[in-house]
Amino acid sequence: MIPVADADRLALNLLDARLEALVDGADLLPLPAPSARLTPDGAGELVRWVLDRLHGMSREPADVFGMQVRGLLTEFRSLRCPWNAAVLRLLDDPYTFVATGPRRHRDWAYDVLAVMHRRVRDPRGWIRLDADRVNDARWGLPAYPFEPPSAAEFPARLYPLEADAAVGALAVMSEEWQSEPRPVRSRPDRDAVLAHARILLDRYGPTARYWTNATAAATDRAPDFVRAGLQGTRSHTFVTSAYVKGLDLFEDLGLIAVTDEEVGVFWSFGAY
């Protein structure tokens, strides 16, 4: 017999996958049935609310239906847990990649590569941001927009960060690489931006270790990313140099969180 909490989690994960498939233009996954095993509030109530909204949507025209489902998916993910809500508030607008995978190797670089290649899912079923997951560029470049080095080359491309510096690195990923009108350092909601970043990193606990490809960390484990801003940050690139569909990736900033159970991968891309 599946415990109630596990049944709730399974239903939430299945519903997330179904909504994402609908957004991607697929309709192959079954809808989760809100059975009696679901708790009457919390997860069970959320599943029923989403299903009622979904069943009330017209499938035609298809583009309007897709937009409605995308909005429902965003709202569902925000309501599911505070971590999801913080991800969407902080990093949903710029060109970013956010994903967490399980820690399975002593050398965590292999786990990070598994995340970049989309070979694993979030162990908790929480949100990922990955606009390129269905990009057909991945037929030739499986990790697109990444073209990561081998695991053996990671030590030459990454530097350790103190936890407070990791918060700053994550916060400036909310900026744009070009023509950013409001860098975090001058925003009236600067403290709220930093608070969202802390929520994201709190997931990994007080013993998490952090790494970045930013060259400022080569000589300082606590560079001030907020003061420098995204445009003032230089790094060892992890992205492809391929020119795909008129898009040229020219800069990137990455942050990796490592624990005994998980690896979190946060990346910002500059493109034109």
Side-chain angles (χ1 to χ4, degrees), residues 96-146:
T96 60
F97 175 91
V98 176
T100 297
R103 174 81 185 275
R104 293 172 175 167
H105 300 83
R106 182 180 181 86
D107 183 350
W108 48 262
Y110 291 100
D111 299 308
V112 172
L113 287 170
V115 171
M116 290 177 169
H117 282 84
R118 288 85 162 182
R119 292 196 291 260
V120 293
R121 297 189 67 85
D122 189 302
R124 309 187 200 192
W126 292 357
I127 195 173
R128 72 182 186 279
L129 298 182
D130 181 11
D132 293 300
R133 69 184 184 279
V134 294
N135 190 330
D136 56 17
R138 294 186 58 218
W139 287 105
L141 298 165
Y144 186 88
F146 297 103

CSV table of all heavy atoms in Angstrom, one decimal, residues 96-146:
chain,number,residue,atom,x,y,z
A,96,THR,N,17.6,31.5,-18.5
A,96,THR,CA,18.3,30.8,-17.4
A,96,THR,C,18.0,29.3,-17.5
A,96,THR,O,17.0,28.9,-18.2
A,96,THR,CB,17.9,31.3,-16.0
A,96,THR,OG1,16.5,31.1,-15.8
A,96,THR,CG2,18.3,32.7,-15.8
A,97,PHE,N,18.8,28.5,-16.8
A,97,PHE,CA,18.5,27.1,-16.7
A,97,PHE,C,18.6,26.8,-15.2
A,97,PHE,O,19.6,27.2,-14.5
A,97,PHE,CB,19.6,26.3,-17.4
A,97,PHE,CG,19.6,24.8,-17.2
A,97,PHE,CD1,18.8,24.0,-18.1
A,97,PHE,CD2,20.3,24.2,-16.2
A,97,PHE,CE1,18.8,22.6,-17.9
A,97,PHE,CE2,20.2,22.8,-16.0
A,97,PHE,CZ,19.5,22.0,-16.8
A,98,VAL,N,17.6,26.1,-14.6
A,98,VAL,CA,17.6,25.8,-13.2
A,98,VAL,C,17.1,24.3,-13.1
A,98,VAL,O,16.0,24.0,-13.6
A,98,VAL,CB,16.6,26.7,-12.4
A,98,VAL,CG1,16.5,26.2,-11.0
A,98,VAL,CG2,17.0,28.1,-12.5
A,99,ALA,N,17.9,23.5,-12.5
A,99,ALA,CA,17.5,22.1,-12.4
A,99,ALA,C,18.3,21.4,-11.3
A,99,ALA,O,19.5,21.8,-11.0
A,99,ALA,CB,17.7,21.3,-13.7
A,100,THR,N,17.7,20.5,-10.6
A,100,THR,CA,18.4,19.7,-9.5
A,100,THR,C,18.3,18.3,-9.8
A,100,THR,O,17.2,17.8,-10.4
A,100,THR,CB,17.7,20.0,-8.2
A,100,THR,OG1,17.9,21.4,-7.8
A,100,THR,CG2,18.3,19.2,-7.1
A,101,GLY,N,19.3,17.6,-9.6
A,101,GLY,CA,19.4,16.1,-9.8
A,101,GLY,C,19.9,15.4,-8.6
A,101,GLY,O,20.4,16.0,-7.7
A,102,PRO,N,19.8,14.1,-8.6
A,102,PRO,CA,20.3,13.3,-7.5
A,102,PRO,C,21.8,13.2,-7.5
A,102,PRO,O,22.4,13.3,-8.5
A,102,PRO,CB,19.7,11.9,-7.7
A,102,PRO,CG,19.5,11.8,-9.2
A,102,PRO,CD,19.1,13.2,-9.6
A,103,ARG,N,22.4,13.1,-6.3
A,103,ARG,CA,23.8,12.9,-6.2
A,103,ARG,C,24.1,11.3,-6.1
A,103,ARG,O,23.7,10.7,-5.2
A,103,ARG,CB,24.3,13.5,-4.9
A,103,ARG,CG,25.8,13.2,-4.5
A,103,ARG,CD,26.7,14.1,-5.3
A,103,ARG,NE,28.1,13.7,-5.0
A,103,ARG,CZ,28.8,14.2,-4.0
A,103,ARG,NH1,28.3,15.0,-3.1
A,103,ARG,NH2,30.1,13.8,-3.8
A,104,ARG,N,24.7,10.8,-7.1
A,104,ARG,CA,25.0,9.4,-7.2
A,104,ARG,C,26.4,9.0,-7.3
A,104,ARG,O,26.7,7.8,-7.3
A,104,ARG,CB,24.2,8.9,-8.5
A,104,ARG,CG,22.7,8.9,-8.4
A,104,ARG,CD,22.0,8.6,-9.7
A,104,ARG,NE,20.6,8.5,-9.5
A,104,ARG,CZ,19.7,8.5,-10.6
A,104,ARG,NH1,20.2,8.5,-11.8
A,104,ARG,NH2,18.4,8.5,-10.4
A,105,HIS,N,27.3,10.0,-7.5
A,105,HIS,CA,28.7,9.7,-7.7
A,105,HIS,C,29.6,10.4,-6.7
A,105,HIS,O,29.2,11.5,-6.2
A,105,HIS,CB,29.2,10.1,-9.1
A,105,HIS,CG,28.4,9.5,-10.2
A,105,HIS,ND1,27.2,9.9,-10.7
A,105,HIS,CD2,28.8,8.4,-11.0
A,105,HIS,CE1,26.8,9.1,-11.7
A,105,HIS,NE2,27.7,8.2,-11.9
A,106,ARG,N,30.7,9.8,-6.3
A,106,ARG,CA,31.6,10.4,-5.5
A,106,ARG,C,32.1,11.7,-6.1
A,106,ARG,O,32.2,12.8,-5.4
A,106,ARG,CB,32.8,9.5,-5.2
A,106,ARG,CG,33.8,10.1,-4.2
A,106,ARG,CD,35.0,9.1,-4.0
A,106,ARG,NE,36.0,9.6,-3.1
A,106,ARG,CZ,35.9,9.5,-1.7
A,106,ARG,NH1,34.9,8.9,-1.2
A,106,ARG,NH2,36.9,10.0,-1.0
A,107,ASP,N,32.4,11.7,-7.4
A,107,ASP,CA,32.8,12.9,-8.1
A,107,ASP,C,31.5,13.5,-8.7
A,107,ASP,O,30.9,13.0,-9.6
A,107,ASP,CB,33.7,12.5,-9.3
A,107,ASP,CG,34.2,13.7,-10.1
A,107,ASP,OD1,33.6,14.8,-9.9
A,107,ASP,OD2,35.1,13.6,-10.9
A,108,TRP,N,31.0,14.6,-8.0
A,108,TRP,CA,29.7,15.1,-8.3
A,108,TRP,C,29.7,15.7,-9.7
A,108,TRP,O,28.6,16.1,-10.2
A,108,TRP,CB,29.3,16.2,-7.3
A,108,TRP,CG,30.4,17.2,-7.0
A,108,TRP,CD1,31.2,17.2,-5.9
A,108,TRP,CD2,30.7,18.4,-7.7
A,108,TRP,NE1,32.0,18.3,-5.9
A,108,TRP,CE2,31.8,19.0,-7.0
A,108,TRP,CE3,30.2,18.9,-8.9
A,108,TRP,CZ2,32.3,20.2,-7.5
A,108,TRP,CZ3,30.8,20.1,-9.3
A,108,TRP,CH2,31.8,20.7,-8.6
A,109,ALA,N,30.8,15.9,-10.4
A,109,ALA,CA,30.8,16.4,-11.8
A,109,ALA,C,30.0,15.6,-12.7
A,109,ALA,O,29.3,16.1,-13.6
A,109,ALA,CB,32.2,16.6,-12.3
A,110,TYR,N,30.0,14.2,-12.5
A,110,TYR,CA,29.2,13.3,-13.3
A,110,TYR,C,27.7,13.6,-13.1
A,110,TYR,O,26.9,13.5,-14.0
A,110,TYR,CB,29.5,11.9,-13.0
A,110,TYR,CG,30.9,11.5,-13.4
A,110,TYR,CD1,32.0,11.5,-12.5
A,110,TYR,CD2,31.1,11.2,-14.8
A,110,TYR,CE1,33.2,11.1,-13.0
A,110,TYR,CE2,32.4,10.8,-15.2
A,110,TYR,CZ,33.5,10.8,-14.3
A,110,TYR,OH,34.7,10.4,-14.7
A,111,ASP,N,27.3,13.9,-11.8
A,111,ASP,CA,25.9,14.2,-11.5
A,111,ASP,C,25.5,15.6,-12.2
A,111,ASP,O,24.3,15.7,-12.7
A,111,ASP,CB,25.7,14.3,-10.0
A,111,ASP,CG,26.0,13.0,-9.4
A,111,ASP,OD1,25.5,11.9,-9.8
A,111,ASP,OD2,26.8,13.0,-8.4
A,112,VAL,N,26.4,16.5,-12.2
A,112,VAL,CA,26.1,17.8,-12.9
A,112,VAL,C,25.9,17.6,-14.4
A,112,VAL,O,25.0,18.1,-15.0
A,112,VAL,CB,27.2,18.8,-12.6
A,112,VAL,CG1,27.0,20.1,-13.4
A,112,VAL,CG2,27.2,19.2,-11.1
A,113,LEU,N,26.8,16.8,-14.9
A,113,LEU,CA,26.6,16.5,-16.4
A,113,LEU,C,25.3,15.8,-16.7
A,113,LEU,O,24.7,16.0,-17.7
A,113,LEU,CB,27.8,15.6,-16.8
A,113,LEU,CG,29.2,16.3,-16.9
A,113,LEU,CD1,30.3,15.3,-17.2
A,113,LEU,CD2,29.1,17.4,-18.0
A,114,ALA,N,24.9,14.9,-15.8
A,114,ALA,CA,23.6,14.2,-16.0
A,114,ALA,C,22.4,15.3,-16.0
A,114,ALA,O,21.5,15.1,-16.8
A,114,ALA,CB,23.4,13.2,-14.9
A,115,VAL,N,22.5,16.3,-15.1
A,115,VAL,CA,21.5,17.3,-15.1
A,115,VAL,C,21.6,18.1,-16.4
A,115,VAL,O,20.5,18.4,-17.0
A,115,VAL,CB,21.7,18.3,-13.9
A,115,VAL,CG1,20.8,19.5,-14.0
A,115,VAL,CG2,21.5,17.5,-12.6
A,116,MET,N,22.8,18.5,-16.9
A,116,MET,CA,22.9,19.3,-18.1
A,116,MET,C,22.4,18.6,-19.3
A,116,MET,O,21.9,19.2,-20.3
A,116,MET,CB,24.3,19.7,-18.3
A,116,MET,CG,24.8,20.8,-17.2
A,116,MET,SD,26.6,21.2,-17.5
A,116,MET,CE,26.7,22.6,-16.4
A,117,HIS,N,22.5,17.2,-19.3
A,117,HIS,CA,22.1,16.4,-20.4
A,117,HIS,C,20.6,16.0,-20.3
A,117,HIS,O,20.1,15.2,-21.1
A,117,HIS,CB,23.0,15.2,-20.6
A,117,HIS,CG,24.3,15.5,-21.3
A,117,HIS,ND1,25.4,16.0,-20.6
A,117,HIS,CD2,24.7,15.4,-22.6
A,117,HIS,CE1,26.4,16.1,-21.4
A,117,HIS,NE2,26.0,15.8,-22.6
A,118,ARG,N,19.9,16.4,-19.2
A,118,ARG,CA,18.5,16.1,-18.9
A,118,ARG,C,18.3,14.6,-18.8
A,118,ARG,O,17.3,14.0,-19.2
A,118,ARG,CB,17.6,16.6,-20.0
A,118,ARG,CG,17.4,18.1,-20.0
A,118,ARG,CD,18.5,18.9,-20.7
A,118,ARG,NE,18.1,20.2,-21.1
A,118,ARG,CZ,18.9,21.1,-21.8
A,118,ARG,NH1,20.1,20.7,-22.2
A,118,ARG,NH2,18.5,22.3,-22.1
A,119,ARG,N,19.3,13.9,-18.2
A,119,ARG,CA,19.1,12.5,-18.0
A,119,ARG,C,18.5,12.1,-16.7
A,119,ARG,O,18.2,11.0,-16.4
A,119,ARG,CB,20.5,11.8,-18.1
A,119,ARG,CG,21.1,11.8,-19.5
A,119,ARG,CD,22.3,10.8,-19.6
A,119,ARG,NE,23.4,11.2,-18.8
A,119,ARG,CZ,24.5,11.8,-19.2
A,119,ARG,NH1,24.6,12.1,-20.5
A,119,ARG,NH2,25.5,12.2,-18.5
A,120,VAL,N,18.3,13.1,-15.8
A,120,VAL,CA,17.7,12.9,-14.5
A,120,VAL,C,16.6,13.9,-14.2
A,120,VAL,O,16.6,15.0,-14.8
A,120,VAL,CB,18.7,12.9,-13.4
A,120,VAL,CG1,19.7,11.8,-13.5
A,120,VAL,CG2,19.5,14.2,-13.4
A,121,ARG,N,15.7,13.6,-13.3
A,121,ARG,CA,14.7,14.6,-12.9
A,121,ARG,C,14.9,15.0,-11.4
A,121,ARG,O,15.7,14.4,-10.7
A,121,ARG,CB,13.3,13.9,-13.0
A,121,ARG,CG,12.9,13.5,-14.4
A,121,ARG,CD,11.5,13.1,-14.5
A,121,ARG,NE,10.6,14.2,-14.3
A,121,ARG,CZ,10.2,15.0,-15.2
A,121,ARG,NH1,10.6,15.0,-16.4
A,121,ARG,NH2,9.3,16.0,-14.9
A,122,ASP,N,14.3,16.1,-11.1
A,122,ASP,CA,14.4,16.6,-9.7
A,122,ASP,C,13.9,15.5,-8.7
A,122,ASP,O,12.8,15.0,-8.8
A,122,ASP,CB,13.5,17.8,-9.5
A,122,ASP,CG,13.7,18.6,-8.2
A,122,ASP,OD1,13.5,17.9,-7.2
A,122,ASP,OD2,14.1,19.8,-8.2
A,123,PRO,N,14.8,15.2,-7.7
A,123,PRO,CA,14.4,14.1,-6.8
A,123,PRO,C,13.1,14.4,-6.0
A,123,PRO,O,12.4,13.5,-5.5
A,123,PRO,CB,15.6,14.0,-5.8
A,123,PRO,CG,16.7,14.6,-6.6
A,123,PRO,CD,16.1,15.7,-7.5
A,124,ARG,N,12.8,15.7,-5.9
A,124,ARG,CA,11.6,16.1,-5.1
A,124,ARG,C,10.4,16.4,-6.0
A,124,ARG,O,9.3,16.8,-5.5
A,124,ARG,CB,11.9,17.3,-4.2
A,124,ARG,CG,13.1,17.1,-3.3
A,124,ARG,CD,13.3,18.2,-2.3
A,124,ARG,NE,14.7,18.3,-1.9
A,124,ARG,CZ,15.1,19.0,-0.8
A,124,ARG,NH1,14.2,19.7,-0.2
A,124,ARG,NH2,16.4,19.0,-0.5
A,125,GLY,N,10.6,16.4,-7.3
A,125,GLY,CA,9.5,16.7,-8.2
A,125,GLY,C,9.3,18.2,-8.3
A,125,GLY,O,8.2,18.6,-8.8
A,126,TRP,N,10.2,19.0,-7.9
A,126,TRP,CA,10.1,20.5,-7.9
A,126,TRP,C,10.4,21.0,-9.3
A,126,TRP,O,10.9,20.3,-10.2
A,126,TRP,CB,10.9,21.1,-6.8
A,126,TRP,CG,10.4,20.8,-5.5
A,126,TRP,CD1,9.3,20.1,-5.1
A,126,TRP,CD2,11.0,21.2,-4.2
A,126,TRP,NE1,9.2,20.0,-3.8
A,126,TRP,CE2,10.2,20.7,-3.2
A,126,TRP,CE3,12.1,22.0,-3.9
A,126,TRP,CZ2,10.5,20.9,-1.8
A,126,TRP,CZ3,12.4,22.2,-2.5
A,126,TRP,CH2,11.6,21.6,-1.5
A,127,ILE,N,10.2,22.3,-9.5
A,127,ILE,CA,10.2,22.9,-10.8
A,127,ILE,C,11.7,22.9,-11.3
A,127,ILE,O,12.6,22.9,-10.6
A,127,ILE,CB,9.7,24.4,-10.7
A,127,ILE,CG1,9.5,25.0,-12.0
A,127,ILE,CG2,10.7,25.3,-9.9
A,127,ILE,CD1,8.8,26.4,-12.0
A,128,ARG,N,11.8,22.9,-12.7
A,128,ARG,CA,13.0,23.2,-13.4
A,128,ARG,C,12.7,24.3,-14.4
A,128,ARG,O,11.5,24.4,-14.9
A,128,ARG,CB,13.6,22.0,-14.0
A,128,ARG,CG,12.8,21.5,-15.2
A,128,ARG,CD,13.4,20.2,-15.8
A,128,ARG,NE,12.8,19.9,-17.1
A,128,ARG,CZ,11.7,19.2,-17.2
A,128,ARG,NH1,11.0,18.8,-16.1
A,128,ARG,NH2,11.1,18.9,-18.4
A,129,LEU,N,13.6,25.1,-14.7
A,129,LEU,CA,13.5,26.1,-15.8
A,129,LEU,C,14.4,25.6,-16.9
A,129,LEU,O,15.6,25.6,-16.7
A,129,LEU,CB,13.9,27.5,-15.3
A,129,LEU,CG,13.0,28.1,-14.2
A,129,LEU,CD1,13.5,29.5,-13.9
A,129,LEU,CD2,11.5,28.1,-14.5
A,130,ASP,N,13.8,25.3,-18.0
A,130,ASP,CA,14.6,24.8,-19.1
A,130,ASP,C,13.9,25.0,-20.4
A,130,ASP,O,13.2,24.1,-20.9
A,130,ASP,CB,14.9,23.3,-18.9
A,130,ASP,CG,15.8,22.7,-20.0
A,130,ASP,OD1,16.3,23.4,-20.8
A,130,ASP,OD2,15.9,21.4,-20.0
A,131,ALA,N,14.0,26.2,-21.0
A,131,ALA,CA,13.3,26.5,-22.2
A,131,ALA,C,13.8,25.7,-23.4
A,131,ALA,O,13.1,25.6,-24.4
A,131,ALA,CB,13.4,28.0,-22.5
A,132,ASP,N,15.0,25.1,-23.3
A,132,ASP,CA,15.5,24.4,-24.4
A,132,ASP,C,15.3,22.9,-24.3
A,132,ASP,O,15.8,22.1,-25.1
A,132,ASP,CB,17.1,24.6,-24.5
A,132,ASP,CG,17.4,26.1,-24.8
A,132,ASP,OD1,17.0,26.5,-25.9
A,132,ASP,OD2,18.0,26.7,-24.0
A,133,ARG,N,14.5,22.4,-23.4
A,133,ARG,CA,14.3,21.0,-23.2
A,133,ARG,C,13.7,20.3,-24.5
A,133,ARG,O,14.0,19.2,-24.8
A,133,ARG,CB,13.4,20.7,-22.0
A,133,ARG,CG,12.0,21.1,-22.2
A,133,ARG,CD,11.2,20.9,-20.9
A,133,ARG,NE,9.8,21.2,-21.1
A,133,ARG,CZ,9.3,22.4,-21.1
A,133,ARG,NH1,10.1,23.4,-20.8
A,133,ARG,NH2,8.0,22.6,-21.3
A,134,VAL,N,12.9,21.1,-25.3
A,134,VAL,CA,12.3,20.5,-26.5
A,134,VAL,C,12.9,21.2,-27.7
A,134,VAL,O,12.4,21.1,-28.8
A,134,VAL,CB,10.8,20.7,-26.5
A,134,VAL,CG1,10.2,19.8,-25.4
A,134,VAL,CG2,10.4,22.2,-26.3
A,135,ASN,N,14.0,21.9,-27.6
A,135,ASN,CA,14.7,22.6,-28.7
A,135,ASN,C,15.3,21.5,-29.6
A,135,ASN,O,16.1,20.6,-29.1
A,135,ASN,CB,15.8,23.5,-28.2
A,135,ASN,CG,16.4,24.4,-29.3
A,135,ASN,OD1,16.4,24.0,-30.4
A,135,ASN,ND2,16.8,25.6,-28.9
A,136,ASP,N,15.0,21.5,-30.9
A,136,ASP,CA,15.5,20.4,-31.8
A,136,ASP,C,17.0,20.6,-32.0
A,136,ASP,O,17.7,19.7,-32.6
A,136,ASP,CB,14.8,20.3,-33.1
A,136,ASP,CG,14.7,21.6,-33.9
A,136,ASP,OD1,15.6,22.5,-33.6
A,136,ASP,OD2,13.9,21.7,-34.8
A,137,ALA,N,17.6,21.7,-31.5
A,137,ALA,CA,19.1,21.8,-31.5
A,137,ALA,C,19.7,20.7,-30.7
A,137,ALA,O,20.9,20.3,-31.0
A,137,ALA,CB,19.5,23.1,-31.0
A,138,ARG,N,19.0,20.1,-29.8
A,138,ARG,CA,19.6,19.0,-29.0
A,138,ARG,C,19.8,17.7,-29.7
A,138,ARG,O,20.4,16.8,-29.2
A,138,ARG,CB,18.7,18.8,-27.7
A,138,ARG,CG,18.6,20.0,-26.8
A,138,ARG,CD,17.9,19.7,-25.5
A,138,ARG,NE,18.4,18.6,-24.8
A,138,ARG,CZ,17.7,17.7,-24.2
A,138,ARG,NH1,16.4,17.7,-24.2
A,138,ARG,NH2,18.3,16.7,-23.6
A,139,TRP,N,19.2,17.6,-30.9
A,139,TRP,CA,19.5,16.4,-31.7
A,139,TRP,C,21.0,16.3,-32.0
A,139,TRP,O,21.6,15.3,-32.0
A,139,TRP,CB,18.7,16.4,-33.0
A,139,TRP,CG,17.3,16.2,-32.8
A,139,TRP,CD1,16.2,17.1,-32.9
A,139,TRP,CD2,16.7,14.9,-32.5
A,139,TRP,NE1,15.0,16.4,-32.6
A,139,TRP,CE2,15.3,15.1,-32.4
A,139,TRP,CE3,17.2,13.6,-32.4
A,139,TRP,CZ2,14.4,14.1,-32.1
A,139,TRP,CZ3,16.3,12.6,-32.1
A,139,TRP,CH2,14.9,12.8,-32.0
A,140,GLY,N,21.6,17.5,-32.3
A,140,GLY,CA,23.0,17.5,-32.6
A,140,GLY,C,23.9,17.9,-31.4
A,140,GLY,O,25.1,17.5,-31.3
A,141,LEU,N,23.3,18.6,-30.5
A,141,LEU,CA,24.0,19.1,-29.3
A,141,LEU,C,23.1,18.7,-28.1
A,141,LEU,O,22.3,19.5,-27.6
A,141,LEU,CB,24.2,20.6,-29.3
A,141,LEU,CG,25.1,21.1,-30.4
A,141,LEU,CD1,24.9,22.6,-30.6
A,141,LEU,CD2,26.6,20.8,-30.2
A,142,PRO,N,23.3,17.5,-27.6
A,142,PRO,CA,22.3,16.9,-26.5
A,142,PRO,C,22.2,17.8,-25.3
A,142,PRO,O,21.1,17.8,-24.7
A,142,PRO,CB,22.9,15.6,-26.2
A,142,PRO,CG,23.7,15.2,-27.4
A,142,PRO,CD,24.3,16.5,-27.9
A,143,ALA,N,23.3,18.5,-24.9
A,143,ALA,CA,23.2,19.3,-23.7
A,143,ALA,C,22.8,20.8,-24.0
A,143,ALA,O,22.9,21.6,-23.1
A,143,ALA,CB,24.5,19.2,-23.0
A,144,TYR,N,22.5,21.1,-25.2
A,144,TYR,CA,22.2,22.5,-25.6
A,144,TYR,C,21.3,23.2,-24.6
A,144,TYR,O,20.4,22.6,-24.1
A,144,TYR,CB,21.6,22.5,-27.0
A,144,TYR,CG,21.4,24.0,-27.5
A,144,TYR,CD1,22.4,24.5,-28.2
A,144,TYR,CD2,20.3,24.7,-27.2
A,144,TYR,CE1,22.3,25.8,-28.7
A,144,TYR,CE2,20.1,26.0,-27.7
A,144,TYR,CZ,21.2,26.5,-28.4
A,144,TYR,OH,21.0,27.8,-28.9
A,145,PRO,N,21.7,24.4,-24.2
A,145,PRO,CA,22.7,25.3,-24.7
A,145,PRO,C,24.1,25.1,-24.1
A,145,PRO,O,25.1,25.8,-24.4
A,145,PRO,CB,22.2,26.7,-24.3
A,145,PRO,CG,21.5,26.5,-23.0
A,145,PRO,CD,20.9,25.1,-23.2
A,146,PHE,N,24.2,24.1,-23.3
A,146,PHE,CA,25.6,23.7,-22.7
A,146,PHE,C,26.4,23.0,-23.8
A,146,PHE,O,25.9,22.2,-24.6
A,146,PHE,CB,25.4,22.9,-21.5
A,146,PHE,CG,24.7,23.5,-20.3
A,146,PHE,CD1,23.4,23.2,-20.0
A,146,PHE,CD2,25.4,24.5,-19.6
A,146,PHE,CE1,22.7,23.8,-19.0
A,146,PHE,CE2,24.7,25.1,-18.5
A,146,PHE,CZ,23.4,24.7,-18.2
